[in-house]
Amino acid sequence: MQALIDKLIKEQKLSRSEWITLIKNRDTVCLYARQKASEISRQNFGNKIYIRGLIELTNYCKNDCYYCGIRAGNKNCSRYRLTKEQVLECCRVGYPLGFRTFVLQGGEDAFYTDDYMCSIVSAIKKQYSDCAITLSLGERSHSSYKRLYDAGANRYLLRHETATNEHYSKLHPSSLSLENRKQCLYNLKEIGYQVGTGFMVGSPYQTEENLADDMVFISELGPQMIGIGPFLSHSDTPFKDMPNGSLELSLFMLSLCRLMFPKVLLPSTTALATLDKNGRNMGILSGANVIMPNLSPAATRKNYLLYNDKACTDEEAAEGLEKLKQSLHSIGYEISYERGDYKE
């Protein structure tokens, strides 16, 4: 198996059958993969970790994805929407703390029309011209993505979640398709965004073959960002009794992404920190180089629950930046206050 890791480092790709073999036999090379991924991350970024200020815009969503706590069918979700002024206030809090990227994330909420979203993006850009804006607002039309890009958005994160059609249909209602999801990603690339995709590790019904398909698709897409985290169940979804994803497998897949794309922007996600109190640091030691502390208003954070028991305080929150610094320092890393754009 070590030979496959070495091949991945050298060629930065594997065949589908090689991915399957590697993932099925990962026990023998987990530590090796993580060590190599950490080395490659250090070669490209030193000991610097980029921070992004996460602003959770809305927990309204028109979709009914079976794994998601803010799915349209969840009647127990306390819904909210941030106003333009609230978003700008989040930025006003984050900028003096050193955040130079703001990430606007939310469900697919028709309230945020192109006109309204463009006004928010352009207002942020006008006041914070040296900052990058990342959007994560789901599937929109090509023209919508183009308008948001022209208004000043720089990056867009749209996780494909699974690259296997059959598996996709087990996680989503029939109104959603993997084909459209992928087309959105290619539209974003064509427009000029720095594009992020990603998947859940250990989602219901997932196989090693599904994970291999994910890696093949990501290799073909060539994203600038990859978001990976373990599946975590939510009590108000059809998957409430499904087991959570594995920390070990999540870290392994994170490392493989770093080995395949040495310069990719790779977050250590809140889901990792939720699964294990040391999960965020373990992600960094597995090749991740981005952290996204929460800048959302404290009153709304508890309502943006994609899964149960989300970590959103201490080092996961913007107010905990000092704790985050100390935590990173303990493993030999420090915060970078640069924008942290993808560099070819």
Side-chain angles (χ1 to χ4, degrees), residues 45-53 97-100 280-281 284 289-293 315 317-339:
F45 306 103
N47 71 335
K48 307 293 189 198
I49 301 297
Y50 297 130
I51 54 169
R52 320 302 201 194
L97 292 174
F99 290 95
R100 293 300 178 267
R280 189 199 57 252
N281 284 357
I284 290 165
N289 71 316
V290 173
I291 293 176
M292 297 197 289
E315 294 112 280
E319 309 90 82
L321 218 50
E322 201 53 46
K323 285 185 179 179
L324 177 59
K325 288 180 190 174
Q326 295 168 9
S327 179
L328 290 175
H329 183 72
S330 72
I331 57 169
Y333 287 82
E334 60 184 55
I335 290 173
S336 168
Y337 294 99
E338 301 172 44
R339 266 177 48 141

Side-chain angles (χ1 to χ4, degrees), residues 160-218:
H160 66 277
E161 301 301 5
T162 177
T164 313
N165 271 305
E166 182 184 2
H167 188 219
Y168 195 90
S169 67
K170 291 179 179 178
L171 303 181
H172 303 89
S174 58
S175 57
L176 299 174
S177 74
L178 178 58
E179 180 184 15
N180 189 64
R181 196 78 165 181
K182 287 182 174 180
Q183 187 58 57
C184 285
L185 285 163
Y186 283 109
N187 288 345
L188 289 162
K189 284 206 77 174
E190 183 264 322
I191 289 167
Y193 283 93
Q194 292 181 40
V195 174
T197 192
F199 54 90
M200 290 179 290
V201 177
S203 58
Y205 315 113
Q206 187 181 70
T207 65
E208 286 92 347
E209 288 79 6
N210 297 149
L211 288 170
D213 288 338
D214 288 320
M215 300 306 279
V216 170
F217 171 65
I218 290 174

